[in-house]
Amino acid sequence: MNMDVLPADLMGWLMETFAGEFTLTALVSMIPVVELRGGIPFGVAAGLPVWAAFLAAVIGNLIPVPFIIVYIRRIFQWMRRRIPRLNRMVDALERKAHLKGQKVTKYKYLGLMLFVAIPLPGTGAWTGSLAAAFLDMPLRKAIPSVVAGVLIAGMAISILTYGITNLI
């Protein structure tokens, strides 16, 4: 088997098929900071219809959420013990989660949903999940708030970027 052919085949599949474009859009939407705010425009630019880019971006954006809520504190502890050079980065992420968490605390789950729904830098599913973890919100209550926020943000980004007439 010629290994030089495999990457070209994979790239061709990712860029030239509906399933590949959908998968690539979901993967892009899993990236912190980019999330679905970048995933939806990326998916449409890759050739997906807006509805498919929206769906792929929402799915991709939501995949990391339960893992962040459940495991981020343990991951940070492990990083502090095993890789002390990253302590400053962990401190900054914890500070960010606590600062964002203060905004969420007053309105709890509604506040979490609204925080995730705001399509601005520094908000979104990743930061909302960090805040939920540091506020000790139970997973079964935090997930619906994050999902609702992601859906609202996805609709807002789709409308802002492509207009209502292009979505129908």
Side-chain angles (χ1 to χ4, degrees):
M1 176 194 233
N2 185 352
M3 294 304 283
D4 292 333
V5 175
L6 190 60
D9 289 347
L10 178 60
M11 287 305 296
W13 179 79
L14 284 172
M15 299 305 292
E16 296 169 11
T17 67
F18 180 85
E21 292 166 350
F22 192 93
T23 301
L24 193 54
T25 300
L27 290 171
V28 165
S29 300
M30 291 173 72
I31 300 169
V33 181
V34 175
E35 301 191 38
L36 66 71
R37 289 153 182 81
I40 292 171
F42 176 87
V44 172
L48 290 175
V50 176
W51 68 267
F54 172 85
L55 184 60
V58 166
I59 291 168
N61 199 194
L62 290 174
I63 287 172
V65 167
F67 301 102
I68 295 167
I69 294 171
V70 173
Y71 296 113
I72 198 65
R73 285 181 152 181
R74 289 182 221 161
I75 291 168
F76 283 174
Q77 288 172 351
W78 180 88
M79 288 170 69
R80 285 183 188 285
R81 280 194 317 270
R82 304 280 183 196
I83 314 169
R85 293 180 306 216
L86 298 179
N87 280 351
R88 265 200 251 163
M89 182 189 74
V90 171
D91 289 343
L93 288 169
E94 286 180 344
R95 266 193 311 278
K96 182 177 183 178
H98 285 294
L99 289 172
K100 302 298 181 178
Q102 290 172 353
K103 296 176 182 178
V104 170
T105 302
K106 184 175 179 183
Y107 299 104
K108 284 281 190 189
Y109 304 105
L110 176 62
L112 179 60
M113 179 198 71
L114 293 172
F115 177 78
V116 172
I118 298 168
L120 295 172
T123 65
W126 277 80
T127 309
S129 297
L130 272 173
F134 282 95
L135 292 172
D136 293 319
M137 292 181 166
L139 182 66
R140 64 181 170 74
K141 291 186 176 182
I143 289 280
S145 296
V146 174
V147 169
V150 166
L151 290 171
I152 292 167
M155 287 185 281
I157 292 298
S158 297
I159 290 169
L160 287 171
T161 306
Y162 304 104
I164 292 174
T165 56
N166 290 333
L167 298 177
I168 298 174

